[in-house]
Amino acid sequence: MKKLACLTLAAGLFAALPASAQTFAKAEDAIKYRQGAFNVIGSHFGPLGAMATGKMPYNARSAAANAEVVAYMARLPFAGFIPGSDKGQTRAKAEIWKDNAKFKAGAEKFQAEAAKLNTAAKSGDLNQLKAAFADAAQTCKSCHDNFRSK
Ligand code: ASC
């Protein structure tokens, strides 16, 4: 029993880790990492938006699958915003590090809304999906407006 409890605890800790376990040898690696994560998020957020706005037929199973990926992936990219990674192939603004508390709050808001979007998508109710999508998209936009150059 003790062994099982230990394994369960270890699995729980591991599940909580991804956002903080990442290390990068170079700023360029961190930039590629976060861009890769955002790219995957965008690929799965897009169909949710298309369904929420009626540009694509609503499919509850597809919506749930996409939202699951968005909610998980939302935990990853922010570890890639290491100090000094605002140079090179990136649109990240220096404000991310100058006003890091605001950036972090925005990231956490996005993660919270992505989790709500996942719950809404799993409900199978298009109206819930529409509302949660709009809230989540607003958190994307707000960070892009403040922290991403055009
Ligand atoms: C998307 C996408 C974004 C956000 C943003 C929300 O689908 O690619 O960057 O939503 O446009 O306003």
Side-chain angles (χ1 to χ4, degrees):
M1 276 312 272
K2 262 195 182 147
K3 197 171 176 186
L4 183 64
C6 229
L7 282 174
T8 309
L9 180 65
L13 286 174
F14 185 74
L17 266 179
S20 56
Q22 202 65 47
T23 56
F24 304 100
K26 297 176 290 178
E28 187 193 336
D29 295 341
I31 292 169
K32 280 188 191 152
Y33 173 82
R34 72 198 187 212
Q35 287 176 343
F38 281 129
N39 194 297
V40 171
I41 291 168
S43 296
H44 292 270
F45 198 65
L48 288 164
M51 285 186 236
T53 56
K55 294 188 183 93
M56 186 192 277
Y58 174 57
N59 178 305
R61 276 169 55 101
S62 163
N66 281 305
E68 178 77 24
V69 176
V70 171
Y72 186 86
M73 293 300 293
R75 294 151 62 185
L76 303 188
F78 303 99
F81 288 91
I82 60 170
S85 63
D86 59 336
K87 313 275 185 298
Q89 297 293 329
T90 178
R91 283 181 286 169
K93 285 186 179 175
E95 278 72 13
I96 289 168
W97 295 273
K98 282 186 197 137
D99 196 351
N100 198 248
K102 184 177 172 186
F103 180 70
K104 197 162 178 283
E108 283 166 7
K109 178 86 178 131
F110 163 59
Q111 290 164 337
E113 294 303 330
K116 286 189 201 169
L117 178 61
N118 192 19
T119 304
K122 282 190 166 64
S123 76
D125 174 358
L126 178 57
N127 284 324
Q128 284 194 44
L129 179 71
K130 285 181 180 175
F133 176 82
D135 289 346
Q138 186 50 49
T139 68
C140 302
K141 183 178 183 330
S142 143
C143 271
H144 293 165
D145 289 350
N146 290 316
F147 298 112
R148 187 176 77 170
S149 55
K150 300 287 174 287

